Amino acid sequence: MTLVIEIDDPPEADMPTLVVVLESDIDEALVIRVQEQFAAVASRHLVCRVAAHEVIIGEGGPLLAEHVRSLPGVAAALLPGDGAPLARRDLVSGRTVVDLGNGVRIGDGSLTVIAGPCAVETTAGLRAIALGVRARGAAALRGGAYKPRTSPYSFQGLGDAGLHLLQNVSRETGLPVVTEAVDVASVPQVARYAHMLQVGTRNAQNFALLRAVGATGRPVLLKRGFGCTIDEWLQAAEYVLRQGNGSVVLCERGIRSYEPSTRFTLDLSAVPMVKHLSHLPVVVDPSHGTGLRNLVTPMALAAAAAGADGLLLDVHHDARTARCDAKQAITLEEFGALMNQLSRVMPALGRSLARREPAIAVRVAADQQHRERVSV
Ligand code: PEP
Ligand code: MN
């Protein structure tokens, strides 16, 4: 869990920043000792957990850096010129495991499946999807209340009403909710309802938004910009981490190439590359990455084989009528078949599927819904 200490006012973007990485699993007394050095020179600072380390980020210059470096327990004290020292593995050891609550974690070695509609549409529809994916073993629910749409004439999402629906369904199913914040103004409201805030591909370098979601302390799902290199993606993550928020999950969702037969080109080589460069978990979104329903299952299996920590999937109870991205939504039945395949594939890869046994209440509700559907 991220620990943010006395931080009314997170560091400004342009202040000189001293990043102090403490040795892994250090004694709390030593953390306090380093903090005191910042306090002695009246510098603002915050403490956060990044992978296996406590990290102190604060205002400071070369003198403070040199002094702090000589203290016991300090692994590194640097005044980064640029780059992504907190997102990369050069200074930080261990791996980040992000806790969404309700017993769901991303990055613990298992495959965590987040599934749901592209956009929240109706109460009944969202409920049918949430119960359906829960019954088939999804660990968390996705669904956009605020939608970033290429055309201003496309369905823009239900906004606050969508957040309420997500909250109700989350309470009923126990599934943590992942939903997008499309701008700085909506961040506090989205953070009130979401277990994890999504930053979309079109906002991947919206630095004000990255700072704002970082400052909430909530887990953040950071999509790769479809025109971003891996380095730019890690630097975007650095904006979130620098706010004292170590709970960042990266999401590969396809990049633009010259190939028109798929919506984007899913860069699965990014998965092992990012896992080599960074301690952050990486999930794959084969729905947006391909834009085509029949490619979702094969690319989801390939993502698992490439080492992804999780999957983000567009699933809809009536996929062909989805108001957003209908061509890429898979049905509940297709989702169930994929989960069955994953439950066989993951052990062969030496990993497990973070599959949750459906609670009895959920199973009963799903059966009842099924009966209702069959009888109409
Ligand atoms: C989404 O996941 O709902 C979404 C809009 O994805 P992306 O930002 O990757 O297009
Ligand atoms: Mn979508």
Side-chain angles (χ1 to χ4, degrees):
M1 250 333 1
T2 304
L3 174 70
V4 180
I5 294 184
E6 289 171 12
I7 176 83
D8 308 325
D9 206 8
E12 300 296 328
D14 53 358
M15 78 174 194
T17 304
L18 178 57
V19 174
V20 180
V21 180
L22 304 180
E23 306 280 5
S24 58
D25 301 320
I26 195 179
D27 195 333
E28 187 160 338
L30 287 175
V31 181
I32 292 168
R33 200 160 151 207
V34 182
Q35 277 189 272
E36 281 168 359
Q37 304 305 311
F38 280 91
V41 290
S43 293
R44 288 183 305 156
H45 67 278
L46 56 85
V47 184
C48 64
R49 182 87 183 173
V50 179
H53 300 259
E54 298 297 323
V55 171
I56 303 178
I57 307 164
E59 283 173 331
L63 275 180
L64 185 57
E66 204 183 310
H67 175 59
V68 164
R69 228 172 258 136
S70 66
L71 297 176
V74 172
L78 69 157
L79 294 154
D82 49 25
L86 296 174
R88 286 180 174 265
R89 291 173 70 199
D90 313 344
L91 298 172
V92 175
S93 64
R95 289 213 170 263
T96 290
V97 179
V98 173
D99 192 342
L100 301 195
N102 297 7
V104 177
R105 286 143 65 89
I106 305 179
D108 65 358
S110 64
L111 184 81
T112 306
V113 177
I114 307 165
C118 180
V120 177
E121 299 173 20
T122 61
T123 310
L126 182 65
R127 196 161 171 270
I129 297 166
L131 290 169
V133 297
R134 173 79 167 90
R136 291 165 177 82
L141 177 68
R142 63 146 290 146
Y146 291 94
K147 292 302 304 175
R149 302 306 302 277
T150 301
S151 165
Y153 302 105
S154 301
F155 176 51
Q156 303 287 310
L158 299 180
D160 285 357
L163 294 176
H164 283 115
L165 295 186
L166 284 167
Q167 184 179 51
N168 288 341
V169 167
S170 171
R171 285 189 177 143
E172 185 180 355
T173 58
L175 295 173
V177 161
V178 183
T179 193
E180 182 163 351
V182 290
D183 51 31
V184 172
S186 65
V187 167
Q189 177 71 346
V190 176
R192 217 164 282 136
Y193 292 90
H195 296 81
M196 177 179 239
L197 281 81
Q198 181 172 324
V199 174
T201 192
R202 293 160 186 83
N203 268 318
Q205 288 188 305
N206 179 339
F207 303 118
L209 181 62
L210 293 170
R211 280 190 211 106
V213 294
T216 66
R218 283 249 183 245
V220 173
L221 182 75
L222 176 57
K223 294 256 185 144
R224 178 181 184 179
F226 57 67
C228 284
T229 64
I230 288 173
D231 181 58
E232 287 163 341
W233 187 17
L234 294 180
Q235 297 203 54
E238 189 80 12
Y239 273 88
V240 181
L241 294 165
R242 238 181 70 95
Q243 296 298 319
N245 187 340
S247 297
V248 180
V249 175
L250 300 168
C251 179
E252 163 60 42
R253 50 79 65 214
I255 52 177
R256 260 281 135 81
S257 77
Y258 50 79
E259 174 52 60
S261 61
T262 47
R263 188 178 179 195
F264 293 93
T265 296
L266 191 63
D267 180 10
L268 286 184
S269 63
V271 176
M273 192 71 225
V274 163
K275 292 198 77 77
H276 172 69
L277 295 173
S278 173
H279 53 85
L280 297 172
V282 55
V283 307
V284 170
D285 175 350
S287 308
H288 291 84
T290 64
L292 296 168
R293 171 178 305 115
N294 62 343
L295 297 194
V296 170
T297 293
M299 296 315 279
L301 294 169
D309 294 290
L311 297 169
L312 185 72
L313 299 168
D314 278 10
V315 179
H316 197 283
H317 64 301
D318 189 9
R320 282 166 181 79
T321 68
R323 292 185 73 186
C324 182
D325 293 344
K327 284 191 193 148
Q328 71 197 31
I330 57 171
T331 63
L332 286 167
E333 291 68 27
E334 287 164 334
F335 176 70
L338 170 60
M339 292 299 279
N340 284 338
Q341 280 183 285
L342 287 169
S343 66
R344 293 197 301 275
V345 166
M346 295 315 292
L349 295 167
R351 298 174 59 200
S352 64
L353 177 61
R355 190 170 190 136
R356 311 176 73 192
E357 284 312 314
I360 289 172
V362 172
R363 216 157 44 214
V364 169
D367 288 349
Q368 191 180 335
Q369 281 212 334
H370 179 69
R371 276 197 303 277
E372 282 164 10
R373 261 207 317 280
V374 170
S375 64
V376 283

